[in-house]
Amino acid sequence: LTWCWCKNPMTMATLTAAKKGVAGRIDYESWEKRASNLSKELDEEDEKEKEVAASALGLDGKHARSQAEAEEKAKAEEMQKAKQRLEAYEKREQGVTETLSGLLGSVDDHDNTAQVEEKHQEIKYITRESIGAGKRVLTVADTKGPGKIILTQDLSNLESRSAANTSLKPKSYEDDAENKEEMHEATVHRGIIKLNLRNLHQCTVVVKCKIITGTVEISHCEDVTLIVEGDDATAATIQADLCSNLDIQFHDAPSGKNVPLRVRDTNSGPTTTLFWGQDQNDRIYHAGVSNLRVRTFRDGFVDLDTTSDYK
């Protein structure tokens, strides 16, 4: 006889009873898993049947259930497209915009009397070196004077190119050797594209450079004088919003419809033939501007003087 001595002898019944979810011969845990899987399969089949039925009835969202819903859906799609176009435009505009902030000091500065008198002599010049590569829209923002900011004529030498219209084909004639087909070249524009003045206080801004679009936008400015001066300075349209004590001056500035006339045998360059205000399309638009003054000067003398106040 062979005897086997075990330290903790256990029967099969004891092992079975110790297993979780098992009572006797019934494995409740296994049945619970099977029931859960079957319930999940039934739910998935119900969802598929609902999708098929909704698609057959046109209730799956792909088709409008009424004329009003179709119109609302079309409006929503147009709004989404417009939003995408606006975002693309803003991204493109940010890529060509140079923002110069705090040129004369921070807006939050509280200078004493001595510092204010010293600042009266401060002049900041903006040249091509102040503008980053590829930047053609200039924004001067968030600064407090007193002082003067001058956009020099050097900015008129900035170049921008607009692509040629490739849909236009040059004329050509058969057996004509002198008339060669030449593709149109890109158009070169000189100057800054647009000027924005934002949140300026107690300062003077002098514009002596060419603005290609002839547009200046002014917003949230206080005690600011804008001087447009010289043959190159073209600011046909000015938009001013939410400003106070705004003084706009045009010193022999050309109109937007001006055609420069060159003077022979002199170094004076192009001269102005049509001054700002002589064309009906030279405009100043303003909204929410208090104490607005507009003056035009010819040869140092006031030619036009007018005021406006939204109140």
Side-chain angles (χ1 to χ4, degrees):
L1 294 176
T2 304
W3 293 89
C4 179
W5 294 91
C6 299
K7 190 174 182 180
N8 294 316
M10 297 179 65
T11 63
M12 182 60 67
T14 305
L15 291 171
T16 305
K19 187 176 180 182
K20 186 179 179 181
V22 177
R25 296 181 178 180
I26 303 175
D27 190 347
Y28 290 102
E29 185 178 7
S30 176
W31 281 106
E32 185 179 356
K33 289 181 179 179
R34 294 180 185 180
S36 178
N37 291 336
L38 288 173
S39 177
K40 186 177 181 181
E41 291 177 2
L42 289 173
D43 291 340
E44 290 177 354
E45 290 179 1
D46 288 342
E47 289 296 328
K48 290 180 180 179
E49 290 177 358
K50 289 180 181 179
E51 291 178 1
V52 172
S55 179
L57 295 173
L59 303 177
D60 53 356
K62 297 181 179 179
H63 306 283
R65 289 174 289 186
S66 64
Q67 180 65 26
E69 185 177 349
E71 293 176 355
E72 289 296 326
K73 189 174 181 180
K75 290 180 181 178
E77 291 177 353
E78 288 298 325
M79 289 179 62
Q80 184 64 25
K81 292 179 181 178
K83 181 181 178 182
Q84 292 175 353
R85 289 195 295 268
L86 180 60
E87 290 176 350
Y89 172 78
E90 291 178 348
K91 184 177 180 181
R92 185 170 61 252
E93 186 178 23
Q94 290 174 359
V96 298
T97 301
E98 180 71 40
T99 301
L100 303 178
S101 302
L103 290 177
L104 298 174
S106 174
V107 178
D108 300 325
D109 287 346
H110 301 285
D111 300 328
N112 55 36
T113 305
Q115 289 174 326
V116 169
E117 292 178 355
E118 183 180 354
K119 270 192 171 183
H120 272 295
Q121 308 298 326
E122 187 172 7
I123 300 177
K124 295 292 185 180
Y125 295 94
I126 300 178
T127 64
R128 282 181 293 174
E129 294 181 355
S130 309
I131 309 298
K135 307 288 187 177
R136 294 296 180 269
V137 177
L138 179 60
T139 298
V140 181
D142 304 326
T143 191
K144 180 180 179 181
K148 183 179 290 186
I149 301 172
I150 300 178
L151 281 68
T152 63
Q153 286 181 301
D154 181 57
L155 295 175
S156 299
N157 295 320
L158 289 171
E159 291 187 357
S160 302
R161 296 177 181 270
S162 58
N165 190 347
T166 56
S167 63
L168 297 177
K169 294 184 177 180
K171 293 182 179 180
S172 61
Y173 302 93
E174 190 176 357
D175 299 329
D176 188 353
E178 295 182 357
N179 189 3
K180 298 180 181 179
E181 293 187 16
E182 296 181 356
M183 295 302 296
H184 298 277
E185 297 181 354
T187 304
V188 178
H189 307 277
R190 289 181 171 81
I192 63 174
I193 294 177
K194 181 181 175 183
L195 174 63
N196 300 315
L197 304 178
R198 185 178 68 241
N199 194 24
L200 306 182
H201 301 266
Q202 302 174 15
C203 63
T204 299
V205 179
V206 181
V207 178
K208 295 186 176 184
C209 63
K210 180 176 178 58
I211 303 175
I212 297 173
T213 61
T215 303
V216 179
E217 291 190 2
I218 311 171
S219 64
H220 301 88
C221 293
E222 183 179 359
D223 299 322
V224 170
T225 299
L226 172 64
I227 300 176
V228 183
E229 182 179 66
D231 290 331
D232 279 348
T234 304
T237 304
I238 295 179
Q239 174 71 49
D241 298 308
L242 304 175
C243 299
S244 61
N245 301 328
L246 180 61
D247 185 7
I248 301 176
Q249 304 176 17
F250 296 90
H251 292 250
D252 298 316
S255 164
K257 296 296 180 66
N258 175 62
V259 179
L261 176 66
R262 291 192 174 277
V263 179
R264 295 184 178 180
D265 301 327
T266 67
N267 296 321
S268 60
T271 59
T272 302
T273 58
L274 191 66
F275 293 92
W276 192 94
Q278 293 180 340
D279 183 79
Q280 62 180 359
N281 292 319
D282 297 331
R283 302 289 180 90
I284 295 179
Y285 301 93
H286 56 95
V289 179
S290 61
N291 193 20
L292 170 65
R293 186 179 186 183
V294 179
R295 288 177 287 176
T296 60
F297 292 79
R298 292 288 303 276
D299 299 323
F301 296 94
V302 177
D303 184 52
L304 171 70
D305 191 347
T306 185
T307 60
S308 178
D309 197 309
Y310 82 102
K311 298 178 181 180

